[in-house]
Amino acid sequence: MEITKIGDSTPEPLPGGDRGTEPLSGVRVLDLTRILAGPTAAISLAEHGAGVLMVTTPQLPQVPPFVRDTSHGKRSTYLDYTKVDEAARLRQLAGDTDVFVEGYRPHRMETHGFGPDDLAELRPGVVYVSVNCFGSGGPFGTRAGWDQVAQAVTGVCTIQGNASNDGRPQLTPVYLCDFLTGFLASYGAMLALARRAREGGNYLVQVSLCQSAMLLQRQDLIDDFADAPGRLTADEFERYAVTDDNTVYGDLKSLGPVIRMSETPPRWSRTTPRLGSSHPEWLPR
């Protein structure tokens, strides 16, 4: 996780809002991501009270189960930044945001006027979060990629395969690079917001699927994980389950925020939205 100060601005205390004491109450987040890592970052911010507006277009491919699982607590709108009028509206929204999260191919957003420097000029004090595959430098730094690619090039598939019966490279049972990278991105955004509150500034937060895979390997591995102590029983799982009735997808039962905080328990205050169901505007703080 890299946090770089890319400009100066006056300090901004966290705004507060209708969710009172929650850490990110009143903070606005533009979520221009899809599939898993970026949406995981944004939903993690929503858990702490941020107002998250997802921005996508009808023609972009989506994975419906991932959409349902990472949209809790957010609003969703359609804007195509390749169209002049819709790009103008997105710039208006960006001018009033606190956090801008994107997961496109590296430097793709700069070609449309939504790169880190563009946003810093448009909105002094912005926290710009970039989710990529290979990291911010190196020979593959400009390439696109996703969880399975990161698992392959970092050796995770080899480790997983060696733990199996036949030893052939295999993917892990969960999208570990996506989820870990998303959590690190939200953590980085919160650290940057705290720095902005103390000293001001525009910040670029960069996270990488490959670096997350390497971090995990540096932490060492757990043998016999399937039988490791601490696994949730069915009853314990129910303690974390969140039921959202009468959503656009029907009744949903999901794994809720697993972090427990005594004074500001993470939660989702809004129902799971249909993609494109909100107007492209901010709600009052």
Side-chain angles (χ1 to χ4, degrees), residues 43-272:
I43 196 174
S44 298
L45 298 174
E47 290 173 5
H48 294 288
V52 179
L53 180 61
M54 295 186 291
V55 179
T56 187
T57 61
Q59 64 267 27
L60 282 176
Q62 300 282 357
V63 181
F66 294 169
V67 173
R68 292 194 297 269
D69 196 43
T70 60
S71 298
H72 309 304
K74 303 178 183 180
R75 297 166 58 238
S76 176
T77 193
Y78 284 148
L79 284 175
D80 186 345
Y81 60 73
T82 66
K83 298 178 179 178
V84 174
D85 58 337
E86 297 185 33
R89 183 61 190 139
L90 182 58
R91 286 190 180 88
Q92 289 179 327
L93 291 171
D96 287 323
T97 196
D98 297 289
V99 181
F100 186 95
V101 188
E102 62 89 12
Y104 288 91
R105 180 189 292 269
H107 308 299
R108 170 78 171 173
M109 299 306 290
E110 282 94 325
T111 63
H112 295 278
F114 291 99
D117 293 334
D118 301 311
L119 266 290
E121 181 177 353
L122 180 66
R123 199 293 193 206
V126 73
V127 173
Y128 191 106
V129 180
S130 179
V131 180
N132 61 72
C133 182
F134 293 101
S136 61
F140 290 173
T142 59
R143 294 191 181 188
W146 48 92
D147 183 281
Q148 294 90 334
V149 174
Q151 288 196 38
V153 301
T154 59
V156 169
C157 288
T158 298
I159 295 171
Q160 182 69 22
N162 288 339
S164 67
N165 293 329
D166 56 18
R168 294 182 297 176
Q170 294 182 12
L171 295 168
T172 60
V174 297
Y175 304 96
L176 66 87
C177 299
D178 273 335
F179 287 119
L180 181 55
T181 302
F183 296 140
L184 289 171
S186 62
Y187 179 49
M190 287 187 276
L191 290 177
L193 286 169
R195 285 187 62 183
R196 187 186 76 172
R198 293 192 303 269
E199 61 189 75
N202 313 311
Y203 294 92
L204 172 62
V205 178
Q206 297 177 93
V207 289
S208 158
L209 301 177
C210 287
Q211 287 295 337
S212 294
M214 298 308 297
L215 170 65
L216 190 68
Q217 293 178 66
R218 287 194 296 270
Q219 301 303 305
D220 211 350
L221 305 174
I222 299 174
D223 293 329
D224 302 319
F225 180 74
D227 299 317
R231 295 181 69 211
L232 292 180
T233 65
D235 289 341
E236 289 171 331
F237 175 82
E238 290 297 325
R239 292 173 48 202
Y240 294 93
V242 173
T243 301
D244 193 358
D245 296 328
N246 300 317
T247 74
V248 295
Y249 305 106
D251 296 343
L252 294 180
K253 188 173 186 180
S254 308
L255 181 66
V258 296
I259 294 176
R260 291 293 186 259
M261 300 178 71
S262 60
E263 301 300 320
T264 57
R267 63 187 179 93
W268 302 311
S269 63
R270 306 184 67 84
T271 191
T272 306

Side-chain angles (χ1 to χ4, degrees), residues 24-57:
L24 300 184
S25 180
V27 169
R28 290 171 170 170
V29 178
L30 274 178
D31 175 15
L32 275 72
T33 66
R34 57 194 176 95
I35 310 301
L36 276 179
T40 296
I43 196 174
S44 298
L45 298 174
E47 290 173 5
H48 294 288
V52 179
L53 180 61
M54 295 186 291
V55 179
T56 187
T57 61

